[in-house]
Amino acid sequence: MKSILPSKDVTRRGFLKGAAATAGVAIGSGAITGFPTIWAQNIKNVTLRQFGTGVSNINAVADKVKEDLGFTLQMTALDSDAVAQRAVTQPNSFDIADIEYWICKKVFPAGTLQPMDVAKIKNYDKISPLFITGKLTPESKIAQGTAPHKVGFVDGPDSTDFASAPTQWMTLIPDDLQRRYPGHSPRSDWPSD
């Protein structure tokens, strides 16, 4: 009899993907009912491990996540080089990697991060075109350096090669601090609210 189990060891990410798919099928079929109550009771024991540079590790965010969503967000602040190193060499040590676009260029090809399906990003259509096409307006010139659109998309859910144009699979999603606080320079004078 042939085993239906994969021959490789089960990874944390693979287990979570399988569990999520199974839960989705069970909920969608009606086999599980009343899930908001069940989930609300069980989520208090959930901890998501996030790491990034110091500017993304704001204690008030973790406090608000706990207050509003009921789970713990464990944040670890690292310098940029340590962020790149950890993302590549310790993929099982985090659930959320908050990396910068220039780091994405170094890290994503290692295959330790997973792209996001843009169909599941609620406000994808509200993301500045700067992150999608590299241009703020159709007449704009593309900037030097690691322009976000150059590392913003891959060809498929398992791809590690950057796409030359927008696809359904986005590598990073910009935060909304610039939209909330126009005129402030990122990383240097964000409001502390």
Side-chain angles (χ1 to χ4, degrees):
M1 178 177 187
K2 186 177 179 180
S3 173
I4 61 170
L5 296 175
S7 61
K8 296 191 288 186
D9 291 336
V10 176
T11 65
R12 177 184 173 96
R13 183 166 290 161
F15 173 78
L16 290 173
K17 279 181 172 178
T22 302
V25 169
I27 290 167
S29 69
I32 298 175
T33 60
F35 62 88
T37 303
I38 293 168
W39 288 53
Q41 291 172 354
N42 293 333
I43 201 156
K44 66 183 178 191
N45 296 322
V46 171
T47 298
L48 289 180
R49 302 162 301 160
Q50 181 267 357
F51 78 97
T53 58
V55 298
S56 67
N57 287 272
I58 302 168
N59 290 335
V61 171
D63 295 341
K64 193 70 171 159
V65 164
K66 185 69 169 175
E67 178 185 327
D68 291 355
L69 304 175
F71 61 87
T72 301
L73 181 61
Q74 179 185 43
M75 304 173 101
T76 303
L78 303 168
D79 64 46
S80 296
D81 290 335
V83 166
Q85 182 181 25
R86 183 170 181 179
V88 172
T89 64
Q90 300 174 47
N92 295 323
S93 72
F94 62 89
D95 301 301
I96 303 167
D98 186 1
I99 62 175
E100 299 169 54
Y101 287 95
W102 69 270
I103 294 174
C104 185
K105 185 177 182 179
K106 296 178 176 188
V107 170
F108 211 91
T112 59
L113 300 177
Q114 172 181 351
M116 298 166 282
D117 182 346
V118 299
K120 295 180 181 180
I121 300 173
K122 181 179 178 181
N123 292 316
Y124 175 78
D125 62 326
K126 293 180 176 66
I127 295 174
S128 167
L130 186 64
F131 294 96
I132 308 298
T133 64
K135 296 181 174 187
L136 192 53
T137 67
E139 301 80 33
S140 297
K141 292 188 178 185
I142 295 175
Q144 294 179 348
T146 304
H149 75 286
K150 289 184 179 178
V151 296
F153 296 91
V154 291
D155 291 319
D158 299 317
S159 180
T160 57
D161 296 322
F162 296 114
S164 59
T167 68
Q168 184 178 343
W169 301 100
M170 195 170 199
T171 60
L172 299 176
I173 189 166
D175 63 39
D176 73 342
L177 289 175
Q178 281 294 67
R179 183 172 42 82
R180 287 177 46 212
Y181 305 109
H184 290 277
S185 171
R187 311 271 186 250
S188 63
D189 63 348
W190 285 343
S192 59
D193 64 337

